[in-house]
Amino acid sequence: MSDAAQPTAAEVRAAAEAVKTALDRHLAAVERRSGEDDPAVLEAFNQLAAAAEVYDELLYDRYDEVTPFEIPGAEELPPYAGPEEPNAISVLIRRDYAVVEPQRLLAQAQRVEAAEYEAAGGLAEDAAGTVPGALGILFGEFEPDEIASRHKEFGLEEGDSTLWVTAAEETPEAGEWLEAPFEHIDAQGVVCRFDVSAVFDDEDESDEEDDLEFDEDEDEDDGEDRDEDRADDQDLEPLDAEK
């Protein structure tokens, strides 16, 4: 950036004052919050995020310095500009899993499949013989929230997850968006968003690792305990196939 385009010291100072004002407003909104998803708190949060971003940019352009502040999702989630009194909402959820124990996944799906065909008086098919088939059976039998709470039983390991609540003036027509359910989402219509990711814990975990001390004998004992745990895992607990 050229010297002519650089912000003035007064502009940087004004941006800093805007951050201070936004901080006061955010704290006041939090103190008066009426519930977990209070829209006033969300609005104050977005205003604080916007003010902090402006200040950070001006500070860098003028003095080649940055702030230590980082507000997750500030760039991805702009200030809410949807209807003040929405008549409909949409809840968008994505959860990632790693298939860490495919044999456990297959075994649980086969139990569900066998129970269903036994109840129907027929012979069990072999849809649960593959990982895709097993996933289809389990996600067809259990609600996503139940799978999330019992993922280890199904041989899965949690990854990142995100939940978005968007507002709209009208409820979409039946079947209107089924072919492309996650397209055409207006970020300014997002009422609230909740993210879960291991990346948020990386710094804390690294700090804890620096403070840990290990004893070799304890490591050997832990290894034996883990071997015993693996042996115990071979005996799967009965799975309730009913929703």
Side-chain angles (χ1 to χ4, degrees):
M1 180 179 289
S2 65
D3 292 340
Q6 285 185 349
T8 65
E11 289 175 326
V12 178
R13 173 63 62 180
E17 293 299 326
V19 173
K20 296 176 184 178
T21 300
L23 276 170
D24 290 337
R25 290 176 178 171
H26 182 260
L27 177 58
V30 170
E31 291 173 338
R32 298 191 306 265
R33 72 188 311 161
S34 59
E36 183 177 353
D37 300 326
D38 191 328
V41 175
L42 177 62
E43 181 180 0
F45 172 88
N46 289 330
Q47 291 176 351
L48 176 58
E53 183 177 2
V54 171
Y55 173 61
D56 190 80
E57 291 178 355
L58 294 178
L59 186 71
Y60 181 80
D61 291 342
R62 176 68 184 182
Y63 300 109
D64 198 25
E65 290 289 343
V66 296
T67 67
F69 310 120
E70 182 178 357
I71 302 178
E75 294 183 359
E76 293 82 1
L77 191 60
Y80 177 72
E84 293 185 3
E85 297 183 2
N87 296 314
I89 64 168
S90 295
V91 180
L92 295 86
I93 302 175
R94 172 173 173 170
R95 297 187 179 108
D96 285 359
Y97 299 95
V99 181
V100 293
E101 295 184 79
Q103 292 305 317
R104 178 177 289 272
L105 176 73
L106 295 171
Q108 302 290 34
Q110 287 166 2
R111 290 184 179 186
V112 173
E113 187 178 51
E116 288 181 348
Y117 281 91
E118 182 179 350
L123 296 176
E125 295 182 0
D126 196 23
T130 65
V131 170
L135 290 170
I137 290 173
L138 293 176
F139 278 88
E141 182 69 19
F142 300 100
E143 295 290 340
D145 287 343
E146 184 172 2
I147 289 181
S149 65
R150 303 171 58 186
H151 61 277
K152 293 183 178 179
E153 296 180 36
F154 303 116
L156 303 175
E157 182 178 277
E158 287 182 315
D160 289 355
S161 67
T162 187
L163 182 151
W164 294 28
V165 179
T166 64
E169 293 284 2
E170 299 179 356
T171 303
E173 295 291 334
E176 180 179 346
W177 49 260
L178 294 180
E179 293 299 321
F182 300 112
E183 291 184 1
H184 311 300
I185 299 301
D186 183 2
Q188 290 188 313
V190 177
V191 177
C192 54
R193 171 179 175 176
F194 304 96
D195 296 331
V196 177
S197 175
V199 72
F200 299 144
D201 302 326
D202 285 348
E203 183 175 351
D204 293 338
E205 290 177 356
S206 62
D207 292 340
E208 292 176 359
E209 290 174 358
D210 292 339
D211 296 334
L212 290 177
E213 296 182 358
F214 297 97
D215 182 83
E216 293 183 359
D217 294 335
E218 291 180 358
D219 288 345
E220 293 177 359
D221 292 340
D222 290 344
E224 294 176 358
D225 292 341
R226 283 194 293 271
D227 291 339
E228 293 177 0
D229 291 342
R230 293 193 189 99
D232 292 340
D233 285 343
Q234 300 303 317
D235 298 328
L236 295 175
E237 297 179 357
L239 178 67
D240 184 2
E242 297 182 359
K243 293 185 180 178

